[in-house]
Amino acid sequence: MRGVPAHTDSPESPHDVVVLGVTASDAHAVANQLIAHDLRAEGYTVINLGVCTPVSEFVRAVRENTGVLAVVIGSLNGHAHEDLRDLPAARAAGQLPCPVVLGGNLSVGSTKDPGALDRLHRLGVDHILTELSDLLPLLRELARRTTRPPLPRAI
């Protein structure tokens, strides 16, 4: 089991930590490193678990790091559904209470299965991105939602 890398930058807000990794059977490292670099440049604290990351390592990283805004998972080999088969149990047990974001090539072959996205949502993926350019706006929106002041209680 790999250790969860600690990042030395202190968070600017309590919800600016992003846990990043690539699905369990996927060894595509370049995009993962570029995304980590871009997120850090935008001020996020990135816990980068790297490639071939099982769901259990995402769970451990969330448990061991406070202020996790989201778990961001990449898949380029198209096997995300199989690699995330443990996600429903982790979500049901409350082990991944933050949003799970998935992006990349999410199905095998040149013909895309129209039901693939529905199956991924049923596994517990909250947001599926088809464009990398959508990641930063999504994270900003998630941060806005988590730092919204509470509504006044009725007396």
Side-chain angles (χ1 to χ4, degrees), residues 58-59 62-63 65 68-71 90-100 126 146:
F58 289 107
V59 167
V62 169
R63 182 179 63 241
N65 292 279
V68 175
L69 174 64
V71 170
R91 298 303 300 258
Q95 297 173 324
L96 286 173
C98 59
V100 173
D126 298 297
T146 58

Side-chain angles (χ1 to χ4, degrees), residues 2 20-26 49-58 73 83-84:
R2 296 179 287 182
L20 176 67
V22 181
T23 56
S25 71
D26 199 323
L49 303 177
V51 300
C52 300
T53 308
V55 170
S56 61
E57 288 192 32
F58 289 107
I73 304 172
D83 289 342
L84 298 176

Side-chain angles (χ1 to χ4, degrees), residues 23-25 54-55 79-90 120 123:
T23 56
S25 71
V55 170
H79 296 286
H81 189 267
E82 294 85 7
D83 289 342
L84 298 176
R85 65 185 172 278
D86 296 333
L87 186 59
L120 290 164
L123 282 176

Side-chain angles (χ1 to χ4, degrees), residues 10-31:
S10 61
E12 291 180 16
S13 76
H15 298 287
D16 75 340
V17 177
V18 175
V19 174
L20 176 67
V22 181
T23 56
S25 71
D26 199 323
H28 288 90
V30 174

Side-chain angles (χ1 to χ4, degrees), residues 10-150:
S10 61
E12 291 180 16
S13 76
H15 298 287
D16 75 340
V17 177
V18 175
V19 174
L20 176 67
V22 181
T23 56
S25 71
D26 199 323
H28 288 90
V30 174
N32 170 268
Q33 292 298 320
L34 293 172
I35 293 167
H37 178 269
D38 288 350
L39 291 175
R40 287 184 180 120
E42 289 292 325
Y44 291 94
T45 299
V46 178
I47 307 301
N48 190 354
L49 303 177
V51 300
C52 300
T53 308
V55 170
S56 61
E57 288 192 32
F58 289 107
V59 167
R60 188 164 49 89
V62 169
R63 182 179 63 241
E64 293 178 359
N65 292 279
T66 58
V68 175
L69 174 64
V71 170
V72 177
I73 304 172
S75 175
L76 292 177
N77 69 2
H79 296 286
H81 189 267
E82 294 85 7
D83 289 342
L84 298 176
R85 65 185 172 278
D86 296 333
L87 186 59
R91 298 303 300 258
Q95 297 173 324
L96 286 173
C98 59
V100 173
V101 180
L102 178 66
N105 179 28
L106 304 178
S107 62
V108 178
S110 59
T111 304
K112 301 303 174 191
D113 176 5
L117 300 183
D118 287 337
R119 285 194 301 278
L120 290 164
H121 281 297
R122 286 194 304 270
L123 282 176
V125 174
D126 298 297
H127 304 277
I128 298 173
L129 303 180
T130 57
E131 298 293 330
L132 180 56
S133 61
D134 294 335
L135 180 58
L136 283 172
L138 173 62
L139 292 175
R140 288 183 189 117
E141 175 61 21
L142 293 174
R144 189 188 64 74
R145 290 181 198 168
T146 58
T147 58
R148 183 181 301 156

